[in-house]
Amino acid sequence: MKKEKNIGAIVGEYGAFIALLILFVFLSAISPEFRQPSNLLNLLRQASFNGLIAFGMTCVILADGIDLSVGSVFALSAVICAELIMMGMPAIVCICGALVAGTLMGVLSGLLVTKGRLQPFIATLVTMTAYRGLAKILTDAKPISRLAESLTGGSFLFKALGKGNLVPIFAKNIKFPIPAVILLLSFAIFYFMLNKTTYGRKVYATGSNAKCANLVGVDTQKIKISTYAISGFMSALAGLMMISRVNSAQPTLGQSYELDAIAAVALGGTSMSGGRGKISGTVAGVLIIAALNNGLNILGVQSYYQDVIKAIVILVAVLSDRKR
Amino acid sequence: MNIEMRGINKSFGTNQVLKDAGFLLKDGEVHALMGENGAGKSTLMKILTGVYTKDAGTIFVDGVEVNYKNPQEAEKAGIVFIYQEINSLFDLTVEENLFMGKEITKGFGICDKKAMREKAQEVMDRLGVSIPIDAVMGDLSVGQQQMVEICKALMVDAKVLIMDEPTAALTQSETEVLFEVMKGLVEKGVSIVYISHRMEEIFELCDRITILRDGSYIGTEYIKDITMDDVVKMMIGREIGERFPQRDVTMGEEVIRVENLSHPRYFKDVNFSVRAGEVLGVSGLMGAGRTEVMHAIFGNMPEATGKIFIDGKEVSIRNPREAIAAGIGFITEDRKTEGLLLEKPISDNIEVANLKKVSTRNILNPKKQIELVKRGIEEFRIKCFGPQHECHNLSGGNQQKVVLAKWIYTEPKILILDEPTRGVDIGAKKEIYSVINDLAAKGVAVILVSSELPEVLGMSDRIMVVHEGHVTGIIDAATADQEKVMTLATGGSL
């Protein structure tokens, strides 16, 4: 490997970050409101929901899968949590219950892909539809509101998930949103998991060449199931943060969230056929999408135009990443 | 058709692959093009057929200077390249593949199925092969796919045929058929450029030989005037010594015994055993079930039944993980689809089979990682930029060394090698043979599956021959010869 890298290689490797930087500089330059620290922290909070889902999605895609069910898992876990609250369970039970449920939903998708030998796209299309239906059945298709008030114990914990702020002792005027903290913590965990552990190696190997990985003793089926489980867990966590923030749960939550998550992963340079990609790229992808949403809103761009602009940015970023 | 290539230079980036290379092809001859992997044989031919553009030099065809811009132009002129890699659409049928891009139509783009089928059948008959033309390409064996590739070349009226390792995946009988076809073509005035690593074939088939080394022209000789040793010397620029290095090993106890291994489709009642330090050669025609038996031993054939004993104790092997735990290593036939994470660097490939070795409590240990990979690159003399060199950029021989390194560091008691030297040049071949000998000397039980008879005969202690899923004989290599093995391989008895 040559030590010196030319500019092309650097752009190829950090393309998403360069795009993110350009976008930030541009938005900051034309909008004083955008560059306010409070707005940037808010942006981070907005990014956290898609971010958590996209981290799980990165694992699934790295192992040569795809998870369309994330939005439905997001909603069904949220609804399960809300139902548990209404049954009078303490916050910790509701939260853990929803997380376990989300994980199991992911495991089911994984089982359909591995043992059921369905293509990931089809398998998760099935679970996506089923989970959405279940969420509607559970709630009778009605929102469940006043969640925090209905909690018998630990409502503080529940509220903190989506609404809370972390205030550093040294800078009392900065409020760091808890969702953003969870996002950063998750990033650290995923980075470690994918880059520093044997599990990470197995995920990459499975996505790169499952046949070869299986022959050297990697249980590729187990690895695949585990990535869907991770995706389910992360979607459930994001769902919990969302209902904590809006203090109500409805079965239509998280619709088409899978698209933003997949877009973030693609923006980050992860190969859709598995085996290649980085979690740091996904972070950049998530922030690009969040900055676009936030910035275009502040600039007062109509939402129809926003979608078109988003599409163009994704296209340009992915095309420029292909030149390697 | 006479072709003359002179002073050809070609660089990819900073890497000069051809330096003043040349080549002279006469009408109606079979001309071998030889050289180690990376010597520039394929590149030179790709320049001739317009796949690559040359940096310098001239090409004359029948005295007229030409510069084909793409393979289609060369094909129109009658120069057809049959690539080593199979270039087929695996989801389509044989007939659809044969006529891809040159369909016979009734006009308005409507395919004339009948005419195409007739022409396809005619070409098949001319080749003497019987491949159903409605079969889906992906369902055929590698050998059959190769035959379809050759048929495809014969569909156009070729005057010069360039064949890059056409027999690498063919069985003995398919090879014989191919040679007959080639001889027939030559009689009709077709010239053939034959790229191969198989010395026996070249001496059987070719009229002249041109040798390249490190991208340069070394010489052209009449086959009848030189010996195999001369060729090797020209190829590597030094003496290589014996082709099959000597092994001096005292065999130990029986390590693995296989009893009544059967599979509903591929093989029945396979029985054999291998001792520590022994090399058991496995021979047979392609499709005889050799590879499948090996996959079954490795737990990769769920429907297989039978007993496997390791060190005298019966073991249950239901998947590759249990096989590895039982001390088996398996270098598979197809290193590109099964042996390597092709797009990943050397480091990842060696590490993935040795994750326990390079980690502490499931967390990767960079020091151990670097140590293991560096050791692999040095011990196996893998030619590369470094640990981060991606495997798809390595030559066949070096790719195979990565696979060997990866498995040998798992310290197997039993190592199965399925066609370990396919597509590997002579220098690397010999290194692989030495590795096998070293393993045997360390007391590993080696099972060597190979389609190359000289290799099986030269490397094995005993040879097991498989014919249509049955073991037709296990013979002592000291008393075996090609004839005996072929008799058994075709279902005869001694």
Side-chain angles (χ1 to χ4, degrees):
Chain A
M1 200 76 180
K2 277 174 270 177
K3 277 271 185 282
E4 303 150 62
K5 285 182 180 166
N6 55 19
I7 293 174
I10 292 171
V11 172
E13 197 157 353
Y14 303 102
F17 281 99
I18 293 168
L20 179 64
L21 198 70
I22 294 170
L23 188 65
F24 259 85
V25 170
F26 173 73
L27 288 171
S28 305
I30 61 169
S31 163
E33 208 181 319
F34 178 82
R35 60 175 182 255
Q36 288 295 316
S38 63
N39 181 55
L40 294 179
L41 285 173
N42 190 33
L43 186 153
L44 216 50
R45 188 206 329 251
Q46 290 163 350
S48 61
F49 303 102
N50 184 31
L52 295 187
I53 298 172
F55 288 167
M57 186 72 80
T58 306
C59 289
V60 175
I61 290 177
L62 279 177
D64 196 16
I66 191 125
D67 191 353
L68 301 181
S69 73
V70 288
S72 299
V73 172
F74 182 95
L76 183 54
S77 315
V79 162
I80 286 172
C81 177
E83 290 289 349
L84 287 172
I85 290 174
M86 290 306 155
M87 282 162 68
M89 297 287 176
I92 186 80
V93 174
C94 304
I95 291 169
C96 291
L99 290 175
V100 169
T103 309
L104 290 177
M105 289 177 227
V107 169
L108 181 61
S109 295
L111 286 172
L112 288 178
V113 170
T114 52
K115 310 286 176 197
R117 292 170 192 236
L118 290 180
Q119 294 204 342
F121 190 94
I122 302 298
T124 56
L125 190 64
V126 167
T127 51
M128 164 176 145
T129 314
Y131 297 158
R132 180 68 65 191
L134 281 175
K136 287 177 185 161
I137 293 170
L138 265 182
T139 55
D140 226 358
K142 289 187 198 106
I144 304 170
S145 33
R146 295 174 57 77
L147 295 174
E149 293 80 353
S150 313
L151 268 168
T152 49
S155 71
F156 166 76
L157 185 66
F158 176 76
K159 277 196 267 186
L161 261 182
K163 280 192 209 157
N165 290 302
L166 215 60
V167 182
I169 311 163
F170 51 85
K172 291 249 191 302
N173 55 340
I174 297 176
K175 288 182 180 168
F176 219 73
I178 299 271
V181 175
I182 294 177
L183 181 75
L184 293 179
L185 271 178
S186 303
F187 169 64
I189 292 168
F190 274 79
Y191 181 85
F192 182 78
M193 184 174 83
L194 286 174
N195 295 299
K196 306 282 177 194
T197 68
T198 56
Y199 173 78
R201 274 306 163 87
K202 290 177 186 173
V203 170
Y204 279 98
T206 301
S208 178
N209 184 349
K211 235 179 183 177
C212 170
N214 190 44
L215 283 171
V216 294
V218 176
D219 191 338
T220 50
Q221 295 209 338
K222 215 160 88 187
I223 295 294
K224 282 186 180 174
I225 295 170
S226 74
T227 60
Y228 286 98
I230 289 170
S231 175
F233 177 88
M234 297 307 286
S235 304
L237 183 57
L240 289 176
M241 278 162 32
M242 178 62 87
I243 57 169
S244 156
R245 183 144 180 239
V246 298
N247 203 20
S248 85
Q250 45 192 32
T252 51
L253 279 175
Q255 250 158 4
S256 79
Y257 273 28
E258 65 281 354
L259 299 181
D260 268 357
I262 294 168
V265 177
L267 273 172
T270 294
S271 156
M272 286 294 127
S273 52
R276 250 176 208 272
K278 287 193 209 125
I279 199 75
S280 54
T282 301
V283 171
V286 166
L287 291 178
I288 289 174
I289 291 177
L292 274 175
N293 283 337
N294 178 292
L296 295 175
N297 266 334
I298 287 175
L299 293 174
V301 179
Q302 261 191 20
S303 74
Y304 306 141
Y305 289 97
Q306 284 192 17
D307 283 345
V308 176
I309 293 171
K310 248 162 68 179
I312 292 169
V313 170
I314 292 170
L315 185 67
V316 169
V318 173
L319 282 180
S320 67
D321 195 50
R322 210 167 47 180
K323 283 196 208 136
R324 295 216 274 166
Chain B
M1 194 179 258
N2 287 298
I3 295 176
E4 192 180 343
M5 302 178 79
R6 270 185 199 282
I8 307 286
N9 285 352
K10 177 71 188 172
S11 299
F12 293 111
T14 55
N15 186 12
Q16 186 165 17
V17 289
L18 289 179
K19 291 180 269 238
D20 195 21
F23 180 66
L24 205 106
L25 182 72
K26 286 198 260 181
D27 220 3
E29 69 167 346
V30 183
H31 196 131
L33 192 54
M34 271 197 107
E36 292 195 278
N37 283 339
K41 300 159 296 191
S42 299
T43 311
L44 187 65
M45 288 301 111
K46 282 180 180 167
I47 283 174
L48 171 63
T49 53
V51 179
Y52 300 140
T53 47
K54 57 188 187 303
D55 298 339
T58 46
I59 305 171
F60 293 97
V61 170
D62 286 336
V64 183
E65 186 170 356
V66 296
N67 269 313
Y68 301 124
K69 285 191 215 55
N70 53 49
Q72 287 76 35
E73 262 186 39
E75 227 176 88
K76 264 190 206 130
I79 304 173
V80 181
F81 198 148
I82 303 175
Y83 298 97
Q84 181 181 2
E85 313 282 319
I86 289 166
N87 248 327
S88 298
L89 302 159
F90 294 106
D91 292 327
L92 301 187
T93 66
V94 170
E95 177 232 316
E96 284 163 335
N97 268 288
L98 285 176
F99 288 95
M100 186 48 59
K102 15 186 190 288
E103 292 84 357
I104 303 173
T105 64
K106 298 175 180 170
F108 305 110
I110 299 164
C111 292
D112 188 347
K113 269 264 181 204
K114 197 168 156 247
M116 286 196 279
R117 294 176 60 93
E118 273 166 12
K119 180 136 190 237
Q121 198 57 55
E122 182 206 311
V123 174
M124 293 272 184
D125 291 345
R126 187 141 53 101
L127 267 175
V129 291
S130 54
I131 298 167
I133 50 183
D134 291 321
V136 173
M137 202 66 178
D139 294 343
L140 300 179
S141 73
V142 183
Q144 288 175 314
Q145 289 170 358
Q146 190 91 38
M147 276 296 176
V148 174
E149 286 288 302
I150 292 164
C151 290
K152 207 154 79 181
L154 295 179
M155 303 289 296
V156 293
D157 201 11
K159 295 195 190 79
V160 174
L161 217 53
I162 303 162
M163 306 173 106
D164 194 353
E165 297 253 12
T167 58
L170 298 192
T171 66
Q172 197 79 20
S173 58
E174 283 172 327
T175 302
E176 277 162 23
V177 170
L178 176 67
F179 285 2
E180 283 311 309
V181 171
M182 287 168 68
K183 282 173 193 159
L185 289 169
V186 170
E187 274 166 28
K188 283 178 201 148
V190 176
S191 315
I192 295 174
V193 181
Y194 192 77
I195 302 174
S196 176
H197 290 303
R198 295 194 180 170
M199 207 72 93
E200 286 82 6
E201 290 180 356
I202 284 171
F203 276 75
E204 181 189 334
L205 191 74
C206 299
D207 303 309
R208 293 198 303 161
I209 181 168
T210 290
I211 286 151
L212 298 179
R213 189 201 314 147
D214 298 329
S216 300
Y217 174 82
I218 300 299
T220 300
E221 301 287 343
Y222 281 95
I223 287 288
K224 59 180 181 342
D225 295 340
I226 56 165
T227 63
M228 292 191 192
D229 285 344
D230 296 333
V231 173
V232 172
K233 226 183 289 172
M234 287 169 82
M235 272 170 55
I236 59 175
R238 61 185 155 85
E239 301 257 1
I240 193 166
E242 271 185 282
R243 272 179 76 192
F244 300 106
Q246 282 297 314
R247 177 169 69 239
D248 192 17
V249 174
T250 23
M251 280 181 231
E253 297 286 303
E254 171 188 293
V255 180
I256 181 168
R257 188 167 81 247
V258 173
E259 280 185 4
N260 298 324
L261 198 65
S262 298
H263 186 280
R265 278 205 307 280
Y266 296 113
F267 48 85
K268 197 159 190 302
D269 292 332
V270 174
N271 290 288
F272 69 89
S273 68
V274 192
R275 293 163 63 186
E278 184 181 27
V279 177
L280 177 76
V282 180
S283 192
L285 303 180
M286 187 153 297
R290 298 168 305 177
T291 296
E292 288 79 5
V293 168
M294 298 308 141
H295 275 277
I297 293 170
F298 203 63
N300 207 21
M301 279 256 162
E303 288 173 71
T305 54
K307 288 181 183 169
I308 297 170
F309 297 84
I310 291 178
D311 293 334
K313 267 180 272 168
E314 188 176 350
V315 288
S316 139
I317 297 176
R318 286 164 303 183
N319 55 48
R321 287 176 297 289
E322 291 182 342
I324 294 165
I328 308 178
F330 186 17
I331 292 168
T332 51
E333 177 178 31
D334 193 336
R335 64 177 164 262
K336 288 203 168 125
T337 63
E338 294 176 334
L340 287 171
L341 308 171
L342 212 50
E343 61 192 20
K344 293 279 165 195
I346 296 172
S347 56
D348 287 32
N349 272 286
I350 294 180
E351 286 163 17
V352 74
N354 296 285
L355 285 174
K356 286 222 173 78
K357 269 215 171 93
V358 297
S359 62
T360 326
R361 272 180 256 108
N362 288 327
I363 293 168
L364 295 171
N365 181 329
K367 220 176 110 195
K368 289 184 187 172
Q369 286 175 288
I370 293 166
E371 242 170 58
L372 184 77
V373 176
K374 281 218 165 125
R375 198 177 121 203
I377 291 172
E378 277 163 28
E379 272 184 10
F380 290 85
R381 285 190 276 162
I382 301 169
K383 273 188 218 150
C384 59
F385 296 136
Q388 292 308 313
H389 197 131
E390 288 172 8
C391 288
H392 61 96
N393 287 330
L394 291 172
S395 71
N398 284 307
Q399 285 181 345
Q400 193 65 301
K401 288 184 196 169
V402 174
V403 180
L404 275 170
K406 147 179 128 171
W407 277 111
I408 285 167
Y409 292 149
T410 67
E411 293 165 32
K413 277 188 283 193
I414 302 140
L415 186 64
I416 305 169
L417 301 105
D418 195 354
E419 303 284 3
T421 64
R422 176 181 290 171
V424 166
D425 66 59
I426 275 199
K429 252 184 191 174
K430 187 154 178 199
E431 288 179 71
I432 291 172
Y433 296 147
S434 301
V435 169
I436 293 175
N437 284 349
D438 290 348
L439 286 171
K442 280 186 200 142
V444 175
V446 178
I447 302 174
L448 172 67
V449 181
S450 174
S451 295
E452 275 188 65
L453 282 179
E455 179 172 291
V456 174
L457 289 163
M459 287 301 298
S460 313
D461 295 302
R462 287 180 305 146
I463 300 168
M464 173 167 91
V465 188
V466 185
H467 169 70
E468 289 180 357
H470 294 268
V471 174
T472 45
I474 299 182
I475 49 179
D476 205 324
T479 60
D481 55 30
Q482 298 216 7
E483 205 177 319
K484 279 186 188 164
V485 174
M486 278 318 294
T487 308
L488 291 170
T490 49
S493 54
L494 296 178

